[in-house]
Amino acid sequence: MAFLSSRRRRTRLAPELDDQELGRLLKSLRATTRTGTIATTDLCAAQITRLLDQDPGDWDRRTHRIDVLADFLTASHLPRSWAAREPRSADALVLHAWTMVADARAQGRPEDASEATDLCLRAAEIAPDDPTPWVALLAVARLQRWAQPQAFGVWNEVLARDRWNREAYLGMLGYLSPEEGGSRIQVLEFVDTLCARMPANAPCAGIELTAQVLQYHSVLGRGGFEALVARNHWSHAMAAQALDRVAHTWPQPGFLRHARALADLNLLAYALMAADRRRDAAPVFEALGGIVTSWPWALGGEALAEYDQAQRRATVGL
């Protein structure tokens, strides 16, 4: 990916990250989805299709775009209307399924995603090479706590089509976590197996650091004395080594090229500041150019405020 200029810019939340075409589409959808007419559905569907038809075979970017669109359209009539009008469109079916999962997760009602399973399987039949129906189905499996043989079966379908699919690995990381019925041991084994095989700049390169941040958040969530000394997590060998492996390579221009590289750099900046490694964090903030992701910054408060405060701390005295 081409990083933004290192010149300090006004910070902003940007779910599209550096995907300017996706950003323009979101702006257009924001203006046109307020009405519920058939003409509006057709117009928006055509715009989405044009974007998703770009770069065929770039499953990493397609996954990113569908995920962002689904979050944006969760409360909209558009995905359901489009899927009803074009039942043989894999784009329409996957987007509808993805929005259903996002809405069910937000509302805490996993049963509301039951219909998404059928949508995913229909989309997979229409577009057999596309991993995104299986990524969406993995999200259903995670939400509904499917048994591990079924969940791993879906995960393997994704990997057969896109070996290093970022969302699939993040989904399995969440599925195997203690919070979702797995265990810390399963998470460690999963991460260790991945790191032994994965290219250093693969789209899923952030899994190890994500696991460490989630563990750090788990300690913070216990409150009391444990939360007060949570920073000690980053002095433990596994956490420190996870940071050491990426702190100096990820910010280098051109090293990370996947669609959500800026999200991983946000994760790195957050972890380095949590570990009080300010000197290492400064070039990461420079590479970000003010593009902020809600997670993980929002854990401590309002994401932009937390990011700005951390950036100021990182650059004091440099």
Side-chain angles (χ1 to χ4, degrees):
M1 63 166 285
F3 285 123
L4 299 172
S5 168
S6 61
R7 178 174 57 87
R8 174 105 23 122
R9 299 182 181 180
R10 182 178 61 86
T11 55
R12 63 186 182 94
L13 287 170
E16 74 275 12
L17 303 175
D18 64 342
D19 190 330
Q20 295 180 9
E21 293 182 65
L22 176 58
R24 285 192 289 270
L25 175 59
L26 293 178
K27 184 177 180 179
S28 176
L29 292 175
R30 193 173 290 113
T32 57
T33 54
R34 294 170 186 161
T35 63
T37 65
I38 291 176
T40 297
T41 297
D42 289 345
L43 173 61
C44 293
Q47 292 176 317
I48 294 171
T49 298
R50 279 196 297 271
L51 182 69
L52 296 180
D53 282 349
Q54 294 178 5
D55 306 314
D58 187 347
W59 304 124
D60 172 62
R61 188 154 298 276
R62 175 176 170 81
T63 304
H64 165 60
R65 287 173 167 173
I66 292 177
D67 186 47
V68 172
L69 286 167
D71 282 342
F72 179 81
L73 294 169
T74 297
S76 169
H77 72 285
L78 174 62
R80 180 177 295 276
S81 297
W82 184 19
R85 288 175 60 77
E86 297 188 43
R88 293 294 299 170
S89 166
D91 290 344
L93 297 177
V94 170
L95 184 61
H96 183 25
W98 214 302
T99 55
M100 292 183 70
V101 172
D103 186 57
R105 185 185 296 119
Q107 300 298 325
R109 296 197 299 264
E111 66 278 2
D112 289 354
S114 299
E115 182 187 344
T117 299
D118 178 62
L119 292 167
C120 293
L121 294 176
R122 285 163 54 197
E125 182 179 1
I126 294 167
D129 295 332
D130 188 349
T132 56
W134 298 101
V135 177
L137 188 58
L138 183 59
V140 176
R142 180 183 171 188
L143 187 66
Q144 298 187 331
R145 303 287 178 88
W146 288 10
Q148 288 199 10
Q150 286 83 1
F152 272 97
V154 175
W155 184 62
N156 286 327
E157 293 289 347
V158 180
L159 302 196
R161 294 161 175 81
D162 186 15
R163 182 67 182 87
W164 307 114
N165 186 282
R166 183 179 188 275
E167 288 304 309
Y169 282 95
L170 286 174
M172 286 306 299
L173 183 68
Y175 175 84
L176 295 171
S177 69
E179 293 76 15
E180 296 189 20
S183 69
R184 179 66 178 158
I185 296 299
Q186 286 182 301
V187 168
L188 292 175
E189 290 176 347
F190 178 73
V191 171
D192 285 346
T193 300
L194 171 62
C195 291
R197 304 172 180 174
M198 170 187 68
N201 62 345
C204 56
I207 294 299
E208 181 183 21
L209 190 55
T210 299
Q212 291 298 331
V213 169
L214 290 172
Q215 177 64 13
Y216 171 64
H217 286 180
S218 177
V219 176
L220 285 175
R222 295 170 194 162
F225 178 75
E226 287 190 81
L228 290 175
V229 298
R231 180 174 293 178
N232 293 340
H233 170 80
W234 298 103
S235 63
H236 297 161
M238 290 182 63
Q241 289 167 9
L243 280 174
D244 289 341
R245 275 190 277 271
V246 301
H248 302 296
T249 54
W250 281 11
Q252 294 175 11
F255 185 80
L256 295 180
R257 296 179 176 274
H258 57 279
R260 289 197 164 169
L262 288 175
D264 287 340
L265 284 176
N266 269 270
L267 179 71
L268 176 58
Y270 173 89
L272 287 169
M273 292 305 296
D276 201 25
R277 293 174 57 165
R278 303 183 187 190
R279 186 172 297 275
D280 289 336
V284 184
F285 282 110
E286 287 292 306
L288 281 167
I291 300 298
V292 183
T293 54
S294 179
W295 192 87
W297 298 106
L299 178 74
E302 197 276 323
L304 286 176
E306 292 293 316
Y307 178 97
D308 286 337
Q309 182 181 38
Q311 185 179 39
R312 285 193 297 270
R313 289 173 49 221
T315 55
V316 168
L318 295 183

